[in-house]
Amino acid sequence: MRKIAVALSKGGVGKTTTAVNLSAGLADLGARVLLVDMDTQGQVAKALGVRPRAGIANLVAGAPPEETIFAARDRLWLLAGGRELVGLKREIARKDFGGERTLSDALAPLDGRYDYIILDTAPGWDTLTINALFYVNEVLAPVALEAMALQGLREFGASLGAIQRYHQQLGMTYILPTFMDRRVRKSAQIFEQLQEAYQQRVCPPIRYNVRLSEAPGQGKTIYEYAPRSAGAEDYHALVAQVVGDEM
Ligand SMILES: Nc1ncnc2c1ncn2[C@@H]1O[C@H](COP(=O)(O)OP(=O)(O)O)[C@@H](O)[C@H]1O
Ligand SMILES: [Mg+2]
């Protein structure tokens, strides 16, 4: 079972888009996938066009998996995020010790049930993101190809380092360039800089593709909404790369 967090402190870089379409793509290939939304905005459920009655906050509070895990597609299950996570954040903050392991403890009983557990995280650096990073072994960081991209990634890497001291198996395994626009010179330049700095950890880029921004409003994955789009093609390539790294 692989546990991957899609994370980067900066917002609007394609984290949710990536978490949804990576998960759906893996499920399409036959893997059993659990997608966990760690964001109070709860956009993952909307993007999949579903309205679960419960989610990750309820599971952490002690509700059973059968009542909290929602079957969103074939082989794709969802632990929804949303407003309830605000209360969970407060509860974690009140703990005297071990708060960063709250999510790991709650998800431990699910070990082995899935091939992949993918966590979408909120922008910023909150207790929920820290919990997600303590739980996973792999981080996939989407990086929008724009000014300051490298600096943002370096800062995020430093924050990750602080967690790695307590959780040595954690690695930043994938760096995913997003919003690639070949007509913009800066975009290609930053892509090259990323490759120089992070080498084979850099995935094939996701191009800017308007279909990717339309799909969530329709409650559809990119493969459902626009299967022939550049967005579907690019996310297929990412899925293939992630599957190819399986040991
Ligand atoms: N490659 C892309 N091309 C065009 N629009 C995109 C692309 N990736 C994401 N978007 C859109 O950009 C916005 C931010 O993406 P999102 O995945 O929500 O980022 P994050 O979760 O990091 O905040 C959303 O409206 C999304 O639909
Ligand atoms: Mg998001």
Side-chain angles (χ1 to χ4, degrees):
M1 186 177 82
R2 290 174 67 183
K3 303 184 280 191
I4 307 173
V6 180
L8 189 82
S9 312
K10 199 163 185 302
V13 295
K15 285 187 290 296
T16 301
T17 305
T18 298
V20 166
N21 290 302
L22 171 62
S23 300
L26 289 166
D28 281 345
L29 287 185
R32 294 167 60 86
V33 183
L34 176 65
L35 175 54
V36 187
D37 184 0
M38 298 302 294
D39 195 333
T40 55
Q41 294 186 57
Q43 280 173 346
V44 175
K46 278 178 228 147
L48 287 168
V50 296
R51 301 183 75 176
R53 287 164 174 277
I56 180 63
N58 308 83
L59 183 84
V60 175
E66 310 81 73
E67 287 172 21
T68 48
I69 297 175
F70 186 90
R73 297 289 192 281
D74 287 348
R75 292 179 302 279
L76 174 58
W77 288 269
L78 170 65
L79 271 168
R83 296 283 313 154
E84 286 77 22
L85 283 172
V86 176
L88 175 59
K89 264 202 240 188
R90 253 186 250 120
E91 207 176 298
I92 291 171
R94 273 202 301 266
K95 291 194 181 183
D96 290 331
F97 61 92
E100 68 280 0
R101 309 262 183 199
T102 305
L103 181 73
S104 303
D105 290 344
L107 291 177
L110 304 180
D111 262 14
R113 284 204 204 180
Y114 304 95
D115 300 307
Y116 291 88
I117 300 192
I118 311 276
L119 283 72
D120 185 25
T121 62
W125 186 261
D126 67 5
T127 53
L128 297 178
T129 299
I130 294 169
N131 263 264
L133 295 172
F134 266 89
Y135 173 67
V136 300
N137 303 124
E138 302 178 64
V139 174
L140 187 159
V143 177
L145 295 175
E146 59 195 25
M148 311 298 281
L150 267 102
Q151 192 185 328
L153 186 58
R154 246 179 258 128
E155 285 168 11
F156 179 70
S159 304
L160 265 191
I163 293 183
Q164 282 163 328
R165 258 181 267 146
Y166 304 93
H167 177 26
Q168 269 107 24
Q169 298 97 309
L170 179 67
M172 183 147 72
T173 33
Y174 299 103
I175 290 157
L176 177 67
T178 55
F179 294 91
M180 169 71 129
D181 188 342
R182 295 193 193 278
R183 292 164 303 179
V184 180
R185 195 148 50 102
K186 194 93 196 136
S187 186
Q189 274 173 2
I190 295 167
F191 179 55
E192 277 168 29
Q193 289 169 356
L194 272 180
Q195 283 183 310
E196 265 164 45
Y198 296 92
Q199 294 156 24
Q200 64 290 25
R201 284 190 281 169
V202 180
C203 304
I206 307 293
R207 286 166 280 183
Y208 177 87
N209 179 231
V210 71
R211 297 280 175 245
L212 281 168
S213 60
E214 293 165 355
Q218 304 297 316
K220 290 181 172 161
T221 69
I222 191 61
Y223 320 110
E224 295 163 344
Y225 178 69
R228 292 172 194 286
S229 63
E233 189 184 318
D234 292 347
Y235 274 106
H236 272 308
L238 174 66
V239 169
Q241 165 141 10
V242 170
V243 168
D245 291 337
E246 231 154 87
M247 277 163 276

